[in-house]
Amino acid sequence: MRRPHLFVDVSAHGFGHLAQVAPVLQCLCARLPALRLTIRSGLPRARLAARLPGDFAHIAESSDFGYVMHDAVSVDLAATALAYRGQHAGWKAEVERDARLLAGLQPDLVFSDVSCRPLAAAAQVGIPALAMCSLNWADLFAHFYVGERWAAPIHHQMLTAYNSAEGFFCLTPGMPMPELVRRCHVGPIAELGRDCRREVRERLHCLDGERLVLVAFGGVNQELPVADWPFLPGVRWLVPQSWRVASPGVSAFEPLARALPDLLRAVDAVLTKPGYGTFCEAVCNGTPVIYLRRPDWPEQDFLIAWLQAHGCSQEIPAADLASGHLRPVLEALWQRPLPPVPAASGAAEVAAALFERLTSRCSLPLERCSRHT
């Protein structure tokens, strides 16, 4: 008998899309241990395996690029426009290539976060598809390029592809996405970390009262001049090893060999940009957030509003971040009480919908597909 087969397309535009998908697949695989997973993503397999449950087939390519970035917070609009125009000049051929791929793999369901191309391909070969994200590329494309003469056909292709799916799970927090005709709003998605605070502090030989601040700007590099910052007694910065900072009060976090949710449980604050994965995981793990705004990124206002309502946060001006003028921000942050942690209910909600769709199509008896009765 054939195992139920899910094809998942995960955007490699940063790590936030994987942070959304991984808890859903963890919930789904717990309910459906016979599930066969095929993951297409430009993210390295090791990065996927660190978050995803069990074994999976990996197609190491990207079906979207999201946006071309100058750095973690600034979009290169000219390069992005060229990339979209090039991609959509061959749109029909690319969709047909994906359609042949899906016809050969024969998955029971396609699940995308948040490329629209596999949704168009699934519709072409008659395979049901669902999508999920806190944003969609069609809305962002319209935000940046609505006034360009060449933009309307591209936006139409993207929006038509999204609306070909059986449903789009709009995550909390996220953009409202009113042009998606079959949208369904679900709760926040966040992986809860393990309490490893004592072990991390012992590994770092922290002094009594020393505070740990994780610097995490996601999958797009944003190297900060940490080596030039003034030394702050009682504060330890945890930064990427690739920055090669050899300064007092600075340590690399990779040698700790801890997943991001675990690190968030262990530190006293995280310094980041507005992004779904880090914001939600920080809030749901009870970690205070210092954030640098992203110029003209339409999703961020919805993320920041939710962060301010449910978490403990403080914005930092770009000039203060560059100079390392951080003591007042940290002290203000740590004087505030932490609000109650919100329930990360979205993963279970989406997994339940995927489970229902997969088991209604799979040839195995239900009791063979699920650990639950």
Side-chain angles (χ1 to χ4, degrees), residues 189-257:
I189 290 181
E191 185 174 339
L192 303 183
R194 293 167 292 178
D195 185 1
C196 58
R197 182 177 176 85
R198 186 177 69 178
E199 293 89 337
V200 165
R201 293 181 65 82
E202 287 177 352
R203 177 76 180 270
L204 293 170
H205 305 291
C206 290
L207 301 174
D208 290 343
E210 188 174 10
R211 304 266 203 167
L212 300 178
V213 182
L214 176 67
V215 181
F217 275 78
V220 182
N221 189 41
Q222 174 84 4
E223 188 164 343
L224 303 177
V226 178
D228 299 328
W229 288 355
F231 174 65
L232 298 182
V235 174
R236 178 88 64 98
W237 303 100
L238 301 183
V239 305
Q241 197 169 27
S242 62
W243 293 5
R244 294 183 171 86
V245 181
S247 299
V250 181
S251 298
F253 57 73
E254 288 91 343
L256 298 171

Side-chain angles (χ1 to χ4, degrees), residues 351-370:
L354 297 179
F355 175 84
E356 181 178 358
R357 197 70 183 86
L358 286 162
T359 53
S360 69
R361 286 176 59 86
C362 88
S363 58
L364 293 174
L366 188 59
E367 63 270 19
R368 294 270 309 275
C369 290
S370 171

Side-chain angles (χ1 to χ4, degrees), residues 13-205:
H13 186 258
F15 298 146
H17 299 276
L18 177 59
Q20 294 174 357
V21 168
V24 172
L25 296 184
Q26 290 165 10
C27 289
L28 179 62
C29 288
R31 297 189 65 180
L32 195 57
L35 181 65
R36 176 185 165 200
L37 276 176
T38 298
I39 311 291
R40 178 168 68 178
S41 180
L43 294 173
R45 182 182 178 88
R47 172 71 64 174
L48 297 168
R51 285 262 187 165
L52 298 177
D55 193 23
F56 56 89
H58 180 210
I59 300 174
E61 61 182 40
S62 293
S63 63
D64 68 354
F65 62 89
Y67 278 78
V68 181
M69 307 296 294
H70 289 297
D71 53 42
V73 297
S74 303
V75 177
D76 187 333
L77 289 176
T80 300
L82 287 174
Y84 268 117
R85 296 180 77 172
Q87 182 185 66
H88 282 262
W91 175 255
K92 183 178 179 181
E94 289 299 306
V95 171
E96 289 176 350
R97 188 177 78 88
D98 271 11
R100 290 193 296 272
L101 172 68
L102 294 175
L105 290 172
Q106 284 294 299
D108 296 290
L109 183 65
V110 169
F111 182 48
S112 178
D113 187 332
V114 63
S115 174
C116 58
R117 200 176 83 195
L119 305 177
Q124 188 165 304
V125 294
I127 296 173
L130 295 167
M132 177 189 79
C133 199
S134 54
L135 53 78
N136 69 77
W137 299 134
D139 280 4
L140 265 67
F141 180 86
H143 172 82
F144 289 115
Y145 302 111
V146 67
E148 302 291 341
R149 288 180 297 174
W150 49 265
I154 295 175
H155 181 253
H156 177 73
Q157 286 175 332
M158 298 170 75
L159 192 60
T160 300
Y162 281 124
N163 282 328
S164 71
E166 293 186 351
F168 191 111
F169 297 104
C170 299
L171 302 185
T172 302
M175 297 175 68
M177 300 185 264
E179 291 191 282
L180 300 182
V181 296
R182 286 183 283 275
R183 64 189 180 276
C184 173
H185 293 273
V186 297
I189 290 181
E191 185 174 339
L192 303 183
R194 293 167 292 178
D195 185 1
C196 58
R197 182 177 176 85
R198 186 177 69 178
E199 293 89 337
V200 165
R201 293 181 65 82
E202 287 177 352
R203 177 76 180 270
L204 293 170
H205 305 291

